[in-house]
């Protein structure tokens, strides 16, 4: 039993219950998923909308599209496939082991911890939970304290839907996460920044706990001279300014062929007005920065860039009392400014020109591997050149964000942008141990080769090495 931690009792209850939950059938797990689905679709839908609006004025449509829909879609995908995922998979057995049958058994990892962020609190809490339920784990959820209204709704949901010995939600500040991380979970799923990801991984190493780290970084967007510029601008604005840029896979900066930079800026200004009106602060389609701390971080980063010669080509206005920052486009940035060194996670889009595609690729490769890399091009050769000569968690060609919504694709980063994958079968496997199982039915060749050794047995080994 685990002691000396205020959450140890909860952990111990889930640990004692893990085999009961782990031995549930696909039908029993789907029943739990259906309860969660109904809660999101019906019972708590309006509560979720209102909570997210209170936390940072997230528009209702954006809440439905980016918070509720992805979780429901994940549930539907899992329901269609879970029965087949839980079947023992028979695999081949070498001829030298004649008389045996081999299988892979997908068993639950056990007691899991999911630590989720504030930017998409519903999606990034309940999305991983769907995978954890599908795999048959017990789970403790720890949402961010930065969206308190949404956390309260989620806490109420979880308490009403599930027994805490199975699934529980714990609210609290950073200290709560620190206390939870002292416990020997079987798996930890963390979504957040690379800096905090390192802290989580270090804590997990104390118990050799496996981790999934959904991190972030500076996701580049390349626009070459063959791109359909009008469509590229429309899609980049959608990807960047949804959730006011507070999205881990949002385009972080644009690398554009120098010959089309001016046209891009003109189209950008016109499209912003179409999407968010002359004054985005009056738009019902544009949310706010989550709190004053993050607002100040963004303002400081913008002022730092301007002090070093950056040009604000569009936007740049802000209002501290409303934590509002206008959709902003910035060019002529120096490499030592904060906007070019750190993930922006807000509605500021730097634009940087290049002369040759090699130059753009070299620039990307001089930085950490991004979570996402976007390419706008009609030139297949140039597109393939970028893909083949860069590394990223995922890539989308002629659009952005959409790779996240395809359950047949693994979602996750690489090195600094993350460890492990999620969504669909990949998420199920992340919360699963692929256990090897071999059954011997008759005496096999190996049984004939036990001591005492002799010349006949040596000849058998020689034949095995040569032919099998």
């Amino acid at each position: 039993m685990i002691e000396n931690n205020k959450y140890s009792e909860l952990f111990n209850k889930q640990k004692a219950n893990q085999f009961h939950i782990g031995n549930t059938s696909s039908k029993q797990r789907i029943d739990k998923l259906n309860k969660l689905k109904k809660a999101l679709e019906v019972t708590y839908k309006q509560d979720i909308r209102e909570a997210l609006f209170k936390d940072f004025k997230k528009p209702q449509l954006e809440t439905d599209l980016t918070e509720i829909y992805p979780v429901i879609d994940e549930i539907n995908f899992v329901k269609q496939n879970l029965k087949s995922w839980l079947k023992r998979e028979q695999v081949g057995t070498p001829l030298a082991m004649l008389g045996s049958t081999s299988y892979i058994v997908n068993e639950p990892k056990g007691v899991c911890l999911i630590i989720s962020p504030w930017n998409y609190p519903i999606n990034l809490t309940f999305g991983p939970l769907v995978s954890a339920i599908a795999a048959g784990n017990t789970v403790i959820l720890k949402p961010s304290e930065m969206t308190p209204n949404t956390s309260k709704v989620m806490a109420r949901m979880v308490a009403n839907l599930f027994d805490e010995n199975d699934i529980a939600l714990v609210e609290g500040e950073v200290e709560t996460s620190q206390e939870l991380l002292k416990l020997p979970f079987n798996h930890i799923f963390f979504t957040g920044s690379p800096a905090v990801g390192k802290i989580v991984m270090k804590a997990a190493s104390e118990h050799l706990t496996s981790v999934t780290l959904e991190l972030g970084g500076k996701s580049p967007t390349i626009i070459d001279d063959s791109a359909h510029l009008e469509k590229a601008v429309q899609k980049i604005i959608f990807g960047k300014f949804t959730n006011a840029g507070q999205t881990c896979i949002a385009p972080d900066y644009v690398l554009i062929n120098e010959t089309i930079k001016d046209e891009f800026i003109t189209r950008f200004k016109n499209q912003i007005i179409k999407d968010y009106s002359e004054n985005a602060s009056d738009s019902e389609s544009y949310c706010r920065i989550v709190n004053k701390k993050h607002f100040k971080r963004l303002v400081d980063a913008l002022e730092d860039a301007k002090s070093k010669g950056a040009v604000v080509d569009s936007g740049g206005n802000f209002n501290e009392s409303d934590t509002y920052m206008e959709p902003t486009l910035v060019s002529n940035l120096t490499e030592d400014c904060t906007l070019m060194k750190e993930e922006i996670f807000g509605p500021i889009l730097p634009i940087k020109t290049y002369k040759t595609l090699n130059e753009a690729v070299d620039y990307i490769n001089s930085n950490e591997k991004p979570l996402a890399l976007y390419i706008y091009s009609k030139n297949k050769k140039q597109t393939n050149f970028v893909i083949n000569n860069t590394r990223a968690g995922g890539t989308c060609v002629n659009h952005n964000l959409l790779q996240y919504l395809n359950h047949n694709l693994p979602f996750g980063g690489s090195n600094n942008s993350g460890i492990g994958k999620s969504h669909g079968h990949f998420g199920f496997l992340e919360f699963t141990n692929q256990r090897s199982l071999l059954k011997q039915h008759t005496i096999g060749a190996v049984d004939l080769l036990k001591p005492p050794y002799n010349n006949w047995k040596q000849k058998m080994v020689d034949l095995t090495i040569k032919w099998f």
Side-chain angles (χ1 to χ4, degrees), residues 239-252:
K240 178 63 177 181
F241 300 110
T242 293
N243 210 41
Q246 299 164 116
T247 304
C248 61
I249 53 171
D252 191 87

Side-chain angles (χ1 to χ4, degrees), residues 49-164:
R49 289 168 168 175
E50 292 173 3
L52 282 163
F53 188 81
K54 288 178 183 176
D55 281 329
F56 53 122
K57 290 190 177 179
K58 184 172 282 196
Q60 178 178 299
L61 187 148
E62 211 164 275
T63 291
D64 291 354
L65 180 65
T66 65
E67 297 275 14
I68 295 173
Y69 166 73
V71 183
I72 290 173
D73 196 38
E74 183 82 16
I75 290 171
N76 290 336
F77 187 83
V78 169
K79 285 168 62 179
Q80 293 169 9
N81 294 281
L82 184 56
K83 191 172 181 180
S84 64
W85 294 349
L86 290 176
K87 287 181 180 177
R88 288 183 179 180
E89 178 188 354
Q90 186 171 345
V91 295
T93 304
L95 193 57
M97 297 180 187
L98 192 66
S100 302
T101 309
S102 302
Y103 303 89
I104 297 173
V105 180
N106 289 318
E107 66 178 15
K109 285 195 172 177
V111 188
C112 299
L113 173 64
I114 295 173
I115 302 177
S116 57
W118 53 265
N119 58 325
Y120 292 93
I122 298 294
N123 182 350
L124 298 179
T125 301
F126 291 136
L129 177 63
V130 171
S131 297
I133 290 173
N137 297 282
T138 61
V139 186
I140 294 177
L141 302 164
K142 168 56 179 75
S144 172
E145 68 279 5
M146 292 190 194
T147 45
N149 295 290
T150 309
S151 290
K152 284 184 176 65
V153 174
M154 289 193 290
R156 199 162 71 245
M157 282 177 62
V158 170
N160 290 335
L161 292 174
F162 307 110
D163 187 300
E164 70 170 11

Side-chain angles (χ1 to χ4, degrees), residues 268-286 314 324 326-327:
F268 180 96
K269 292 176 180 178
N270 294 334
Q271 191 63 45
I272 285 291
I273 294 171
K274 289 179 182 178
D275 289 353
Y276 300 111
S277 78
E278 291 278 358
N279 188 349
S281 65
D282 296 329
S283 172
E284 294 182 356
S285 302
Y286 190 68
S314 181
Y324 162 77
E326 187 176 14

Side-chain angles (χ1 to χ4, degrees), residues 9-15 17 21 111 138-141 158-170:
E9 183 179 352
L10 177 59
F11 177 88
N12 286 329
K13 285 179 180 178
Q14 291 203 356
K15 184 177 180 182
N17 196 36
I21 299 300
V111 188
T138 61
V139 186
I140 294 177
L141 302 164
V158 170
N160 290 335
L161 292 174
F162 307 110
D163 187 300
E164 70 170 11
N165 297 348
D166 180 3
I167 299 167
L169 187 145
V170 173

Side-chain angles (χ1 to χ4, degrees), residues 445 448-449 452-468:
L448 301 175
L449 300 176
Y453 302 135
N454 54 40
N455 288 336
W456 178 83
K457 292 179 182 180
Q458 182 62 58
K459 289 178 181 178
M460 290 293 292
V461 170
D462 293 341
L463 287 171
T464 299
I465 292 171
K466 186 173 183 179
W467 299 107
F468 301 107

Side-chain angles (χ1 to χ4, degrees), residues 367-413:
N367 298 299
E368 297 280 6
K369 295 177 187 176
L371 180 57
L373 188 155
Y374 301 117
I375 307 165
Y376 288 87
S377 174
K378 290 187 285 187
N379 186 314
K380 186 176 179 180
K381 183 179 179 181
Q382 293 191 161
T383 299
N384 287 336
F385 174 80
V386 173
I387 294 170
N388 293 336
N389 291 281
T390 57
R391 297 291 181 265
T395 289
C396 197
V397 178
N398 293 325
H399 218 307
N400 43 213
L401 310 191
L402 297 189
Q403 75 277 15
Y404 179 87
L405 296 173
N406 186 346
H407 300 296
N408 296 296
L409 291 174
F411 178 78

